Amino acid sequence: MHAFDYARATEPSQALDLARRPDAAFIAGGTDLLQLWKAGIARPELMIDISRLALDIVKPRDDGIAIGALARLSDVADHPIVQARWPLIAEALNAGASAQVRNAATIGGNLLQRTRCAYFRSGDMPCNKRAPGSGCPAIGGENRSHAIFGGSPHCVATHASDLAVALAALDASVRVAGPAGSRLVGIGDFYLLPGDTPQRETVLGQGQLICAVDVPATAGRAAYVKVRDRASFEFAVVSVAADLVIDDGIVARARLAAGGVGTRPWRLTEAEAALIGERADAAAFDKAAAQASNGAEPLAHNAFKVELLRRTVRRALQVAGGKA
Ligand SMILES: Cc1cc2nc3c(=O)[nH]c(=O)nc-3n(C[C@H](O)[C@H](O)[C@H](O)COP(=O)(O)OP(=O)(O)OC[C@H]3O[C@@H](n4cnc5c(N)ncnc54)[C@H](O)[C@@H]3O)c2cc1C
């Protein structure tokens, strides 16, 4: 392991000051960064420990909830108000990782975890995300777990966070602080498509800090359905977050987002549109599900995700629609 400097920040402003060094990285729970560091994929020269910052508060308001970036995943999933009013968040968090990881991992770190693409994680393979210009062996190689939406000739890695999929369906925003002040970024604008710069995954600049996630109020009926290769401790093959508002049996609002299929959390806008104004029944759910994979561009080994996504959407709609 290479030598590095360590600093523990006690205030966000101090963390931002320290992060002016271009070779610095924040560490929160460390559950992703340390893996990447051990594998030689991340090599910060200055480790800024932000885990003690007072950014771990979960604050409900009339118009929504603010979830501190350093709140632990397990604390948020167990929060009684999150469970009662934003069950989609609790369900998505509990569907991820293991209890031990959720006890250590934080909200901000979860949103910024790197892809699970095996070529990215294996330090000795080419990867445009890790070593720009070196190539993307997933495109012509083993790509069962890769994206069917949002890929480019340079990268087809999927985004890994379950939480981000739920937040996409809830139209949440990310509160970001930097040397020039703070700003609120809609989750739909937060993640970048790989294009020809797959190493850039979000709009965050070097040294910018996620302070919180703001989630608007919802009266929706929600469900998070995650399909994975084993029942726990596993990333999504396909996942769907659904948030429905049903008035008098008619779908008044539908928000659907998918994980495991896109290079970023993927909103299923055509399936959403197919639901509006329809009676919330099996026929409408089938019709919407049929639209879910529109525009998909499967690779050699992941065409099964096209149909799996439709079925997962149908299941999420059935579960959400069946809630009182
Ligand atoms: C075995 C295993 C299984 C997993 N399964 C799942 C799963 O099924 N679903 C899922 O969603 N996740 C899963 N994860 C990922 C896990 O949820 C993430 O590793 C975790 O959420 C990262 O949070 P952290 O606080 O540990 O981040 P860290 O590892 O500390 O940091 C991750 C990245 O975020 C940056 N960072 C952290 N906080 C901030 C901040 N506030 N502002 C700016 N930058 C910041 C760090 O610099 C680093 O680049 C799994 C992880 C493991 C190890």
Side-chain angles (χ1 to χ4, degrees), residues 96-277:
S98 64
Q100 291 90 337
V101 173
R102 294 194 296 272
N103 282 339
T106 64
I107 294 292
N110 184 275
L111 296 182
L112 293 178
Q113 66 177 290
R114 308 298 304 274
T115 180
R116 307 311 287 195
C117 171
Y119 297 105
F120 169 79
R121 295 249 161 196
S122 130
D124 52 4
M125 297 292 287
C127 169
N128 286 324
K129 209 181 251 314
R130 177 167 34 73
S134 61
C136 176
I139 290 173
E142 172 48 59
N143 48 39
R144 175 182 181 272
S145 67
H146 289 74
I148 58 172
F149 294 115
S152 80
H154 306 285
C155 183
V156 288
T158 46
H159 181 80
S161 162
D162 286 297
L163 172 66
V165 176
L167 295 180
L170 292 169
D171 279 333
S173 301
V174 183
R175 193 167 289 284
V176 172
S182 73
R183 64 194 164 123
L184 205 55
V185 184
I187 192 96
D189 298 322
F190 184 72
Y191 292 107
L192 301 174
L193 290 172
D196 54 10
T197 52
Q199 70 278 15
R200 278 208 72 206
E201 295 176 346
T202 70
V203 295
L204 276 189
Q206 162 64 29
Q208 295 190 339
L209 186 68
I210 297 182
C211 294
V213 171
D214 282 11
V215 190
T218 176
R221 307 173 191 207
Y224 189 73
V225 175
K226 179 173 176 179
V227 179
R228 43 191 158 172
D229 286 332
R230 55 182 179 190
S232 74
F233 210 16
E234 191 53 276
F235 290 87
V237 176
V238 171
S239 67
V240 172
D243 184 67
L244 298 179
V245 175
I246 299 174
D247 276 345
D248 252 353
I250 304 296
V251 181
R253 191 189 70 201
R255 296 187 298 203
L256 291 165
V261 291
T263 51
R264 62 183 183 187
W266 207 257
R267 272 295 278 267
L268 304 172
T269 49
E270 291 184 39
E272 292 174 0
L275 285 164
I276 305 300

Side-chain angles (χ1 to χ4, degrees), residues 14 26 58 86 97 115 120 123 144 211 244-245 263 278 285-286 305 307-308 322:
Q14 186 196 7
F26 298 126
V58 177
W86 290 273
T115 180
F120 169 79
R144 175 182 181 272
C211 294
L244 298 179
V245 175
T263 51
E278 298 290 326
F285 296 161
D286 283 355
K305 286 190 180 181
E307 179 57 22
L308 186 57

